[in-house]
């Protein structure tokens, strides 16, 4: 039934992204801590009840502001030639965030989500409804997320900030087609318990995942689960790459390649990391929890 399908999807895909504070203190070097604070996604509310700022690796028009000693591989940014050269046995020194579901809220029921204001003009009402001090960090993140959701789509893009699972699935269904079976793919690392920067060995050739249409969905920091989902007319390719870390951690990484970046800002951090410029394809890993909805797909080695 539709309700059981939604319950299944919600239990499977409900977001929660971050690092437990104790784990972070015990395991991270200062270099990894800096990587994590600058580049990892932080979505939701942490243990101090303050929402974390969005990831600095936002693939739309990000201004260049980075440490010069951080390389593209460290934060999972590649050229498409790099991806095609991901042969079995090659080593990558990179970093994957980890999610801790206990730290983050889930989706609200659609009826409740639809009844709560979500617009810049009603921010005072939202803050009052949730008893949030207007000058607090949490209030700032609420404002930032709502304003991000209200930004006009870039040329060729269609987007939504979905405040419920039902609205997200309706958007995906409209994008991919009413009679199309679809599934969500993302980076998976079922054995990982601590996020560390380490060397990973590629264990299988990259598999390109073919889908005529694709919808990417990114969780945004808010008081309850919100996904910014979007698709555009520009070509993208998606790959899965199987990795195993030096400590035995297994990761099935999702890599998304934007083939036409001519509309991106020249100051986008990816171009600085890669030493390239707009128009050149940019590939980046998706952190666990960020996903791409695809049509029933054919997966093939490249």
């Amino acid at each position: 039934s539709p309700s059981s399908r939604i319950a299944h999807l919600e239990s499977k895909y409900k977001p929660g992204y971050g690092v437990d504070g104790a784990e972070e203190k015990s395991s991270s070097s200062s270099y990894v801590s800096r990587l994590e604070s600058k580049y990892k996604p932080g979505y939701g509310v942490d243990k101090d009840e303050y929402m974390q700022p969005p990831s600095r690796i936002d693939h739309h028009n990000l201004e260049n502001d980075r440490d010069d000693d951080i390389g593209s591989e460290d934060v999972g940014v590649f050229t498409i030639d790099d991806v095609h050269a991901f042969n079995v046995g090659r080593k990558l020194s990179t970093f994957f965030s980890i999610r801790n579901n206990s730290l983050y809220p889930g989706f609200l029921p659609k009826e409740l989500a639809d009844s709560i204001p979500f617009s810049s003009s009603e921010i005072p009402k939202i803050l009052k409804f949730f008893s949030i001090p207007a000058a607090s960090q949490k209030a700032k993140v609420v404002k930032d997320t709502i304003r991000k959701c209200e930004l006009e789509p870039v040329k060729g893009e269609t987007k939504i900030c979905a405040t419920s699972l039902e609205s997200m699935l309706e958007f995906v269904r409209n994008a991919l087609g009413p009679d199309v079976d679809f599934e969500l793919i993302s980076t998976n690392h079922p054995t990982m318990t601590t996020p560390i920067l380490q060397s990973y060995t590629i264990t299988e050739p990259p598999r390109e995942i073919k889908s005529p249409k694709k919808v990417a969905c990114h969780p945004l920091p808010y008081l309850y689960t919100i996904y910014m989902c979007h698709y555009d007319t520009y070509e993208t390719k998606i790959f899965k790459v199987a990795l195993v870390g030096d400590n035995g951690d297994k990761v099935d990484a999702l890599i998304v390649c934007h083939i036409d970046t001519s509309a991106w800002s020249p100051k986008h951090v990816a171009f600085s990391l890669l030493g390239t410029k707009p128009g050149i394809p940019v590939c980046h890993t998706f952190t666990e929890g960020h996903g791409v909805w695809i049509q029933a797909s054919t997966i093939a080695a490249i």
Side-chain angles (χ1 to χ4, degrees):
S1 70
S3 60
S4 63
R5 174 175 166 78
I6 287 173
H8 170 71
L9 284 167
E10 184 166 9
S11 65
K12 191 172 183 184
Y13 300 125
K14 185 173 77 173
Y17 317 96
V19 183
D20 182 278
E23 287 179 353
E24 187 173 350
K25 289 189 182 76
S26 66
S27 67
S28 298
S29 68
S30 61
Y31 180 74
V32 171
S33 296
R34 195 163 75 252
L35 270 178
E36 191 167 279
S37 64
K38 278 198 78 169
Y39 296 111
K40 83 165 185 177
Y43 307 106
V45 182
D46 68 16
K47 287 185 174 179
D48 295 320
E49 294 298 308
Y50 288 101
M51 285 179 288
Q52 303 166 1
S55 166
R56 300 295 291 273
I57 290 284
D58 176 353
H59 61 280
H60 290 295
N61 300 319
L62 183 68
E63 296 296 297
N64 180 25
D65 175 20
R66 69 179 185 89
D67 294 330
D68 287 337
D69 59 343
I70 290 177
S72 60
E73 193 173 287
D74 296 340
V75 292
V77 179
F78 310 98
T79 67
I80 196 162
D81 290 339
D82 291 335
V83 175
H84 283 292
F86 282 173
N87 300 316
V88 173
R90 175 169 174 177
K91 289 185 176 292
L92 298 175
S93 176
T94 195
F95 171 79
F96 290 96
S97 295
I98 196 168
R99 66 181 182 177
N100 183 334
N101 289 330
S102 67
L103 298 181
Y104 299 91
F107 275 116
L108 293 180
K110 185 177 190 302
E111 296 76 13
L112 178 57
D114 289 347
S115 72
I116 299 173
F118 189 80
S119 71
S120 293
S121 63
E122 299 195 86
I123 284 173
K125 186 184 296 185
I126 296 168
L127 298 181
K128 184 177 180 180
F129 182 84
F130 287 100
S131 302
I132 298 169
S136 65
Q137 171 66 14
K138 189 183 286 189
K140 180 181 185 303
V141 175
V142 167
K143 295 171 190 173
D144 289 348
T145 289
I146 290 175
R147 286 173 183 148
K148 183 172 185 177
C149 286
E150 289 175 344
L151 288 174
E152 287 296 314
V154 298
K155 183 180 178 181
E157 179 187 46
T158 303
K159 74 172 188 176
I160 186 177
C161 279
T163 59
S164 68
L165 182 65
E166 291 90 340
S167 60
M168 179 173 70
L169 294 177
E170 181 182 12
F171 180 81
V172 173
R173 193 173 293 113
N174 287 338
L176 300 185
D179 301 317
V180 172
D181 287 334
F182 52 85
E183 60 182 311
L184 182 69
I185 56 172
S186 62
T187 291
N188 301 303
H189 36 72
T191 65
M192 188 183 294
T193 57
T194 304
I196 60 174
L197 178 69
Q198 65 171 319
S199 180
Y200 290 87
T201 301
I202 296 172
T203 60
E204 296 176 16
R207 292 112 55 206
E208 182 174 0
I209 301 176
K210 305 275 191 179
S211 178
K213 297 178 181 177
K214 312 168 186 73
V215 178
C217 288
H218 311 278
L220 297 180
Y222 203 64
L223 304 163
Y224 45 87
T225 289
I226 287 180
Y227 273 92
M228 194 276 279
C229 297
H230 63 109
Y231 63 94
D232 57 43
T233 56
Y234 298 104
E235 183 185 4
T236 57
K237 292 181 180 290
I238 49 179
F239 303 89
K240 292 298 286 284
V241 181
L243 308 167
V244 61
D246 284 351
N247 69 351
D249 284 340
K250 293 183 179 179
V251 179
D252 195 28
L254 173 64
I255 297 178
V256 175
C257 295
H258 302 269
I259 305 304
D260 182 358
T261 59
S262 55
W264 291 23
S265 166
K267 296 181 179 179
H268 194 296
V269 69
F271 300 130
S272 175
L273 286 165
L274 296 170
T276 58
K277 59 186 179 180
I280 305 299
V282 168
C283 303
H284 61 95
T285 55
F286 262 40
T287 302
E288 186 181 28
H290 296 238
V292 178
W293 292 94
I294 60 169
Q295 297 184 19
S297 59
T298 303
I299 300 178
I302 61 171

